[in-house]
Amino acid sequence: MPHWLFSDSKESVKGWKERIVEESDELLKLVNRKFRPDFMLLGSSKCGTSSVIRYLLAVPEVSLASRVGMIETQEEIQDCIAYSSRLQEGQGASASMLAHYTPHYIYHPMTPYNLERLFGSEHNIRFLVMLREPVARAVSSYYFKVKTERESRTLAEAISAGIQYHTNMRHKIIYIDKTLPDCPPLHDPNLFNDHVGKGVYHEQLRRWMHIFPKERFYVCTLEEFSQDPVGKLSEMLSHIGMSEEDIRKSRSVLEQTVQKKWNVTQSSSSSADQEVLEQLKAFYAPHNEKLFQLLGRRLWGM
Ligand SMILES: Nc1ncnc2c1ncn2[C@@H]1O[C@H](COP(=O)(O)OS(=O)(=O)O)[C@@H](OP(=O)(O)O)[C@H]1O
């Protein structure tokens, strides 16, 4: 059983330890046999993920494991098992590829480690990652939370607090069995209002890519996706192992399904304070460079 070490904060140790799954070997084996995903759409939130998962699900070979959460608690593992039992009984039985999706997987610091513990790192799970120019992502995130009444600060307040929060983070997580040499900072799983931190993609991806080989990750930006949705979806299907012939057969269904966009907030940077956008741009510049280095290509301009 791997152990965890939390540096810098005595208080955070208890909370995090409680969240670690204390599963039995039997349970693990069951989950592994029945519920191992073929691919996971990891996020990131506000990068078109709700649309992408629906487009992929239009392909009959793909089914979705629902209510998976962060694969962190006993309940979430039990959900995995309950769902796979339903699958056995017929729901989605024709589908040959099982997907896991939440837009928060990429960001939640425990998920890659828990995934490795549940399924090991040797199997062939594939990962799909949607990213978006991070200033636009942060603005979209902010306005989405305003619209859904989960954000009451002004944009300037929320962004400034987010930058401060990220800059001041001290907590680090170290996986003892495989120590990360320069581990990205860990902070509380503030999943819903971290408009700024979620755009620091290189930290999140490095955690994942430390555990799973880089070739398993297909990374696409929302900007690239918008230019050629069917082409990008075909590349995704190929990445998760679908044959060229089946992808060709799916083309018309994909062309139909991409007509609808999901989770559109219609937020636009032009309505945002220019000074705040400049502040965000400067904050992300060095992080973007690290991301481009990690992926070996530039995803968007400065
Ligand atoms: N097909 C397509 N092409 C281009 N853009 C698209 C598409 N589908 C969704 N979107 C935009 O993606 C944003 C929503 O992203 P998510 O679905 O990941 O949001 S969420 O985290 O699940 O809430 C949201 O961005 P904003 O409208 O700027 O907020 C959507 O408009």
Side-chain angles (χ1 to χ4, degrees):
M1 185 71 77
H3 295 282
W4 299 82
L5 176 68
F6 300 86
S7 66
D8 291 348
S9 163
K10 292 234 162 34
E11 314 89 73
S12 66
V13 170
K14 187 162 174 274
W16 279 100
K17 269 195 176 162
E18 281 165 357
R19 297 176 72 92
I20 293 172
V21 179
E22 295 286 339
E23 74 290 286
S24 67
D25 283 354
E26 264 324 286
L27 192 55
L28 264 182
K29 276 188 214 137
L30 194 62
V31 171
N32 203 352
R33 204 169 53 238
K34 286 188 161 185
F35 191 68
R36 197 170 73 192
D38 297 290
F39 74 94
M40 300 176 76
L41 176 55
L42 300 182
S44 183
S45 67
K46 309 323 293 176
C47 299
T49 59
S50 316
S51 289
V52 168
I53 195 65
R54 283 174 171 87
Y55 302 156
L56 291 170
L57 285 170
V59 176
E61 283 83 357
V62 178
S63 76
L64 179 69
S66 57
R67 297 171 60 224
V68 178
M70 296 300 140
I71 325 184
E72 204 177 353
T73 63
Q74 284 286 1
E75 288 73 26
E76 285 162 356
I77 292 181
Q78 293 292 359
D79 270 354
C80 291
I81 294 168
Y83 177 80
S84 54
S85 314
R86 288 202 298 279
L87 259 190
Q88 303 264 312
E89 286 159 18
Q91 182 189 334
S94 65
S96 54
M97 292 196 203
L98 184 62
H100 286 203
Y101 158 69
T102 93
H104 309 299
Y105 277 147
I106 188 171
Y107 174 81
H108 195 293
M110 300 298 279
T111 309
Y113 300 107
N114 285 332
L115 192 72
E116 186 197 30
R117 291 181 59 212
L118 279 173
F119 303 121
S121 59
E122 298 309 314
H123 59 76
N124 202 22
I125 295 179
R126 298 280 156 161
F127 303 104
L128 304 178
V129 180
M130 291 293 295
L131 302 180
R132 180 180 186 178
E133 189 286 311
V135 176
R137 201 218 73 81
V139 171
S140 163
S141 169
Y142 172 80
Y143 284 112
F144 176 65
K145 299 296 156 32
V146 169
K147 190 174 158 190
T148 51
E149 298 183 354
R150 283 177 287 171
E151 177 61 87
S152 55
R153 297 170 292 182
T154 63
L155 179 71
E157 283 166 355
I159 296 303
S160 165
I163 292 176
Q164 266 319 96
Y165 184 61
H166 197 272
T167 309
N168 293 342
M169 272 188 311
R170 298 175 308 120
H171 308 326
K172 299 205 175 198
I173 187 165
I174 300 164
Y175 191 39
I176 284 183
D177 291 358
K178 294 180 182 179
T179 305
L180 284 167
D182 177 21
C183 183
L186 168 77
H187 47 99
D188 295 335
N190 174 17
L191 287 179
F192 299 104
N193 272 356
D194 193 6
H195 310 303
V196 175
K198 284 184 180 176
V200 185
Y201 306 121
H202 72 97
E203 292 178 347
Q204 302 156 37
L205 277 174
R206 278 177 52 213
R207 214 161 16 226
W208 280 91
M209 289 177 174
H210 177 74
I211 294 183
F212 300 99
K214 252 186 186 176
E215 319 76 78
R216 301 266 194 84
F217 296 80
Y218 174 91
V219 177
C220 178
T221 67
L222 184 58
E223 293 81 1
E224 293 165 337
F225 186 84
S226 313
Q227 297 295 311
D228 179 16
V230 174
K232 292 299 169 195
L233 288 165
S234 303
E235 287 176 13
M236 289 179 196
L237 291 169
S238 171
H239 182 75
I240 64 178
M242 189 175 277
S243 71
E244 288 309 311
E245 195 191 338
D246 284 343
I247 295 172
R248 246 194 324 275
K249 281 191 213 149
S250 307
R251 197 168 176 93
S252 62
V253 100
L254 290 178
E255 275 163 359
Q256 257 182 319
T257 187
V258 297
Q259 299 306 318
K260 182 169 164 66
K261 290 183 187 174
W262 299 83
N263 263 13
V264 176
T265 309
Q266 282 172 335
S267 55
S268 116
S269 303
S270 60
S271 63
D273 180 349
Q274 200 52 39
E275 213 175 293
V276 177
L277 298 186
E278 289 303 323
Q279 193 188 2
L280 265 181
K281 213 165 142 186
F283 170 78
Y284 283 126
H287 293 301
N288 284 339
E289 287 306 318
K290 288 183 185 168
L291 174 71
F292 301 160
Q293 266 174 24
L294 178 72
L295 299 180
R297 68 183 176 108
R298 303 189 77 76
L299 302 184
W300 43 75
M302 298 303 291

